[in-house]
Amino acid sequence: MIARDLPLHCSWNTDRHGRRRVRFRKGEFTSYISGIPYSATFMIAYHALLAGETKRLDDLKATRTAPGTIDAVIVSFYGSPDYRGLKLSTRKVRRRLLERFREEHGQKRVAMLTPAHIKSMMGNMANHPEAANNFLKALRVLLGHAVDMGVIDDNPARNVRQYKSNSEGHHCWTEAEVEAFEARHKAGSKAHLALSLLLYTGQRRSDVIRMGWQHFSSNLLTVVQDKTGASLKIPFHPRLAALLEAMPRKNMTFLLTEAGAPFSPAGFGNWFRDRCNEAGLPHCSAHGLRKACATRLANAGCTPEQIKSITGHKTLSEVARYTKAADQERNAKTALANLLRSEGEL
């Protein structure tokens, strides 16, 4: 079985000696690759095989990571509990950032890295503050691992400040936009079902694409969130229940590709983006419906704890913006009513 956190054409396999190794298979050609996945030695061998190299890996001129270098720390980090304990989706993002950093600075010694260097790197990303902040977050964890290794005494990224971001993230769908989507994608279509699952459950796309009949029983939806591991039991919304009742019970998963296979999170996101474009909503996305669900709950007077019980947000601060906006509007209406009453207008 191919592991998604290994490079293309690679899978974990047990050899004839009972050792767990990485096997490369492309077409009819197959070979084992030595070394820790994504280490310098491993990647040299991997790229040679991708290029059609068929001689023994022992003959490849592979450079070893020098102790104390960024290369060595990243290789060690990939095998650490800090990295292996991350969700697979987070690992992919983190590895992509670190490999880009490693490509440019891998041979340099970690001890020479200073806060000024890190600020300079972030300055080169100033036009993309969220990307710069994600890079800093990855670097803090990596250099914390370097401290644990004894390579450096202090983490130079620890006190580097993030960029302030004015972005509110994904656009939150308005009620008019939901109506426009439903007008284009009628009940009974896959697009309409996808919107309903996202909007009425408040879950992320990575959770919605796994939903099926096995998750619904006794008028409750049971979700173990892919990103956080949180376990939720959410009552059916009547509109979602009616849609599901009308569906044939042919597949365990509600949403499938045209080929009849489950969606990947990225694949679903791209597919749903196309459906939004068809409805004249190019600025809308799947995640924006999660925000719309939280907004509806806040406008209905739900407390932050009640919203969390459905969306699975971890902290009150993550849902406070929804209740704050709803409270502001509600308080403003109450204030005006009080004013009018005092003036004898009511």
mmCIF file of all heavy atoms in Angstrom, residues 3 10 43 90 109 118 152 171 173 177 190 192 218 223 278 293 297 309 313 319 330 334 344:
data_model
loop_
_atom_site.group_PDB
_atom_site.id
_atom_site.type_symbol
_atom_site.label_atom_id
_atom_site.label_comp_id
_atom_site.label_asym_id
_atom_site.label_seq_id
_atom_site.Cartn_x
_atom_site.Cartn_y
_atom_site.Cartn_z
ATOM 1 N N ALA A 3 2.189 4.780 0.822
ATOM 2 C CA ALA A 3 2.000 5.728 1.929
ATOM 3 C C ALA A 3 1.993 7.135 1.375
ATOM 4 O O ALA A 3 2.864 7.511 0.613
ATOM 5 C CB ALA A 3 3.120 5.558 2.953
ATOM 6 N N CYS A 10 6.772 5.461 -4.339
ATOM 7 C CA CYS A 10 7.405 4.808 -3.186
ATOM 8 C C CYS A 10 6.347 4.247 -2.237
ATOM 9 O O CYS A 10 5.259 4.815 -2.084
ATOM 10 C CB CYS A 10 8.293 5.795 -2.422
ATOM 11 S SG CYS A 10 9.775 6.286 -3.314
ATOM 12 N N MET A 43 17.075 11.148 -1.146
ATOM 13 C CA MET A 43 16.568 11.908 -2.277
ATOM 14 C C MET A 43 17.480 11.818 -3.493
ATOM 15 O O MET A 43 17.001 11.844 -4.639
ATOM 16 C CB MET A 43 16.360 13.376 -1.877
ATOM 17 C CG MET A 43 15.277 13.576 -0.813
ATOM 18 S SD MET A 43 13.678 12.795 -1.229
ATOM 19 C CE MET A 43 13.143 13.820 -2.610
ATOM 20 N N THR A 90 -0.972 18.092 7.843
ATOM 21 C CA THR A 90 -0.046 19.073 8.412
ATOM 22 C C THR A 90 1.397 18.710 8.071
ATOM 23 O O THR A 90 2.212 19.583 7.773
ATOM 24 C CB THR A 90 -0.210 19.145 9.939
ATOM 25 O OG1 THR A 90 -1.574 19.395 10.256
ATOM 26 C CG2 THR A 90 0.661 20.246 10.538
ATOM 27 N N ARG A 109 25.507 25.674 8.777
ATOM 28 C CA ARG A 109 25.466 25.199 10.155
ATOM 29 C C ARG A 109 24.351 25.911 10.911
ATOM 30 O O ARG A 109 24.179 27.125 10.823
ATOM 31 C CB ARG A 109 26.812 25.428 10.840
ATOM 32 C CG ARG A 109 27.970 24.700 10.161
ATOM 33 C CD ARG A 109 29.225 24.734 11.001
ATOM 34 N NE ARG A 109 29.057 24.005 12.251
ATOM 35 C CZ ARG A 109 29.105 22.679 12.362
ATOM 36 N NH1 ARG A 109 29.303 21.936 11.284
ATOM 37 N NH2 ARG A 109 28.948 22.100 13.529
ATOM 38 N N ILE A 118 16.576 35.162 10.163
ATOM 39 C CA ILE A 118 15.184 34.725 10.032
ATOM 40 C C ILE A 118 14.285 35.903 9.662
ATOM 41 O O ILE A 118 13.394 35.781 8.819
ATOM 42 C CB ILE A 118 14.717 34.055 11.338
ATOM 43 C CG1 ILE A 118 15.545 32.795 11.593
ATOM 44 C CG2 ILE A 118 13.231 33.718 11.275
ATOM 45 C CD1 ILE A 118 15.330 32.173 12.955
ATOM 46 N N ILE A 152 22.150 23.359 19.181
ATOM 47 C CA ILE A 152 22.188 24.771 19.569
ATOM 48 C C ILE A 152 21.635 24.902 20.979
ATOM 49 O O ILE A 152 20.912 24.021 21.457
ATOM 50 C CB ILE A 152 21.388 25.661 18.599
ATOM 51 C CG1 ILE A 152 19.955 25.129 18.423
ATOM 52 C CG2 ILE A 152 22.084 25.785 17.253
ATOM 53 C CD1 ILE A 152 19.074 25.986 17.526
ATOM 54 N N HIS A 171 -13.643 33.617 2.574
ATOM 55 C CA HIS A 171 -14.874 34.417 2.561
ATOM 56 C C HIS A 171 -16.025 33.627 3.178
ATOM 57 O O HIS A 171 -16.248 32.462 2.860
ATOM 58 C CB HIS A 171 -15.202 34.793 1.120
ATOM 59 C CG HIS A 171 -16.577 35.332 0.927
ATOM 60 N ND1 HIS A 171 -16.961 36.588 1.370
ATOM 61 C CD2 HIS A 171 -17.690 34.779 0.352
ATOM 62 C CE1 HIS A 171 -18.223 36.786 1.071
ATOM 63 N NE2 HIS A 171 -18.703 35.715 0.457
ATOM 64 N N TRP A 173 -19.781 32.813 3.390
ATOM 65 C CA TRP A 173 -20.927 32.910 2.481
ATOM 66 C C TRP A 173 -22.056 33.720 3.111
ATOM 67 O O TRP A 173 -22.360 33.580 4.297
ATOM 68 C CB TRP A 173 -21.464 31.528 2.156
ATOM 69 C CG TRP A 173 -20.601 30.665 1.302
ATOM 70 C CD1 TRP A 173 -19.294 30.347 1.514
ATOM 71 C CD2 TRP A 173 -20.992 29.977 0.106
ATOM 72 N NE1 TRP A 173 -18.836 29.500 0.539
ATOM 73 C CE2 TRP A 173 -19.868 29.250 -0.342
ATOM 74 C CE3 TRP A 173 -22.187 29.877 -0.604
ATOM 75 C CZ2 TRP A 173 -19.901 28.444 -1.488
ATOM 76 C CZ3 TRP A 173 -22.220 29.085 -1.749
ATOM 77 C CH2 TRP A 173 -21.084 28.388 -2.190
ATOM 78 N N GLU A 177 -25.737 34.365 -1.276
ATOM 79 C CA GLU A 177 -24.831 33.499 -2.044
ATOM 80 C C GLU A 177 -25.250 32.031 -1.944
ATOM 81 O O GLU A 177 -25.139 31.278 -2.921
ATOM 82 C CB GLU A 177 -23.396 33.705 -1.563
ATOM 83 C CG GLU A 177 -22.830 35.052 -1.997
ATOM 84 C CD GLU A 177 -21.585 35.466 -1.238
ATOM 85 O OE1 GLU A 177 -21.281 34.854 -0.179
ATOM 86 O OE2 GLU A 177 -20.909 36.410 -1.687
ATOM 87 N N LYS A 190 -25.257 16.493 -7.069
ATOM 88 C CA LYS A 190 -24.135 16.253 -6.157
ATOM 89 C C LYS A 190 -23.644 17.568 -5.552
ATOM 90 O O LYS A 190 -23.267 17.618 -4.375
ATOM 91 C CB LYS A 190 -22.995 15.541 -6.894
ATOM 92 C CG LYS A 190 -21.798 15.218 -6.021
ATOM 93 C CD LYS A 190 -20.898 14.180 -6.672
ATOM 94 C CE LYS A 190 -20.280 14.662 -7.946
ATOM 95 N NZ LYS A 190 -19.329 13.673 -8.533
ATOM 96 N N HIS A 192 -25.420 20.253 -4.887
ATOM 97 C CA HIS A 192 -26.365 20.681 -3.844
ATOM 98 C C HIS A 192 -26.154 19.880 -2.571
ATOM 99 O O HIS A 192 -26.189 20.433 -1.456
ATOM 100 C CB HIS A 192 -27.793 20.515 -4.353
ATOM 101 C CG HIS A 192 -28.835 21.118 -3.460
ATOM 102 N ND1 HIS A 192 -29.286 20.485 -2.313
ATOM 103 C CD2 HIS A 192 -29.521 22.298 -3.537
ATOM 104 C CE1 HIS A 192 -30.190 21.241 -1.725
ATOM 105 N NE2 HIS A 192 -30.352 22.345 -2.440
ATOM 106 N N SER A 218 -29.658 7.179 14.786
ATOM 107 C CA SER A 218 -30.419 7.740 15.913
ATOM 108 C C SER A 218 -30.484 9.258 15.849
ATOM 109 O O SER A 218 -30.316 9.952 16.852
ATOM 110 C CB SER A 218 -29.777 7.297 17.247
ATOM 111 O OG SER A 218 -29.738 5.892 17.329
ATOM 112 N N VAL A 223 -18.885 12.318 14.042
ATOM 113 C CA VAL A 223 -17.712 12.770 13.296
ATOM 114 C C VAL A 223 -16.480 12.693 14.189
ATOM 115 O O VAL A 223 -16.506 13.146 15.341
ATOM 116 C CB VAL A 223 -17.872 14.234 12.822
ATOM 117 C CG1 VAL A 223 -16.620 14.709 12.094
ATOM 118 C CG2 VAL A 223 -19.076 14.377 11.917
ATOM 119 N N GLU A 278 -19.560 28.060 -11.576
ATOM 120 C CA GLU A 278 -20.754 27.883 -12.391
ATOM 121 C C GLU A 278 -21.935 28.685 -11.858
ATOM 122 O O GLU A 278 -22.812 29.096 -12.617
ATOM 123 C CB GLU A 278 -21.128 26.399 -12.450
ATOM 124 C CG GLU A 278 -20.148 25.547 -13.241
ATOM 125 C CD GLU A 278 -20.409 24.059 -13.075
ATOM 126 O OE1 GLU A 278 -21.273 23.688 -12.259
ATOM 127 O OE2 GLU A 278 -19.731 23.263 -13.747
ATOM 128 N N CYS A 293 -22.009 28.407 8.561
ATOM 129 C CA CYS A 293 -22.725 27.634 9.579
ATOM 130 C C CYS A 293 -22.529 28.260 10.959
ATOM 131 O O CYS A 293 -23.495 28.431 11.714
ATOM 132 C CB CYS A 293 -22.228 26.187 9.580
ATOM 133 S SG CYS A 293 -22.935 25.155 10.889
ATOM 134 N N LEU A 297 -25.390 30.014 13.481
ATOM 135 C CA LEU A 297 -25.565 29.616 14.880
ATOM 136 C C LEU A 297 -25.459 30.841 15.799
ATOM 137 O O LEU A 297 -26.244 30.993 16.747
ATOM 138 C CB LEU A 297 -24.519 28.576 15.267
ATOM 139 C CG LEU A 297 -24.664 27.201 14.591
ATOM 140 C CD1 LEU A 297 -23.404 26.362 14.821
ATOM 141 C CD2 LEU A 297 -25.889 26.468 15.122
ATOM 142 N N SER A 309 -19.634 23.054 20.021
ATOM 143 C CA SER A 309 -20.129 21.682 20.109
ATOM 144 C C SER A 309 -20.531 21.134 18.746
ATOM 145 O O SER A 309 -20.588 19.922 18.553
ATOM 146 C CB SER A 309 -21.317 21.617 21.071
ATOM 147 O OG SER A 309 -22.457 22.246 20.507
ATOM 148 N N HIS A 313 -14.544 23.638 16.855
ATOM 149 C CA HIS A 313 -13.443 24.569 17.128
ATOM 150 C C HIS A 313 -12.903 24.302 18.527
ATOM 151 O O HIS A 313 -13.650 23.968 19.450
ATOM 152 C CB HIS A 313 -13.929 26.020 17.042
ATOM 153 C CG HIS A 313 -14.117 26.514 15.650
ATOM 154 N ND1 HIS A 313 -15.349 26.557 15.026
ATOM 155 C CD2 HIS A 313 -13.231 26.979 14.732
ATOM 156 C CE1 HIS A 313 -15.222 27.052 13.810
ATOM 157 N NE2 HIS A 313 -13.940 27.317 13.604
ATOM 158 N N VAL A 319 -14.312 31.075 17.870
ATOM 159 C CA VAL A 319 -15.722 31.299 17.516
ATOM 160 C C VAL A 319 -16.221 32.648 18.016
ATOM 161 O O VAL A 319 -17.338 33.049 17.683
ATOM 162 C CB VAL A 319 -16.614 30.174 18.082
ATOM 163 C CG1 VAL A 319 -16.240 28.840 17.493
ATOM 164 C CG2 VAL A 319 -16.564 30.124 19.598
ATOM 165 N N ARG A 330 -27.420 42.633 17.308
ATOM 166 C CA ARG A 330 -28.561 42.468 18.215
ATOM 167 C C ARG A 330 -28.616 43.614 19.228
ATOM 168 O O ARG A 330 -29.674 44.171 19.501
ATOM 169 C CB ARG A 330 -28.438 41.122 18.938
ATOM 170 C CG ARG A 330 -29.706 40.687 19.648
ATOM 171 C CD ARG A 330 -29.534 39.316 20.283
ATOM 172 N NE ARG A 330 -29.247 38.293 19.291
ATOM 173 C CZ ARG A 330 -28.070 37.676 19.149
ATOM 174 N NH1 ARG A 330 -27.077 37.964 19.962
ATOM 175 N NH2 ARG A 330 -27.903 36.760 18.224
ATOM 176 N N THR A 334 -31.443 46.584 19.812
ATOM 177 C CA THR A 334 -32.043 46.802 21.131
ATOM 178 C C THR A 334 -31.855 48.249 21.580
ATOM 179 O O THR A 334 -32.766 48.882 22.140
ATOM 180 C CB THR A 334 -31.418 45.846 22.156
ATOM 181 O OG1 THR A 334 -31.632 44.500 21.748
ATOM 182 C CG2 THR A 334 -32.039 46.044 23.543
ATOM 183 N N GLY A 344 -40.816 58.206 22.807
ATOM 184 C CA GLY A 344 -42.238 58.056 22.568
ATOM 185 C C GLY A 344 -42.590 57.619 21.172
ATOM 186 O O GLY A 344 -43.747 57.754 20.731
#
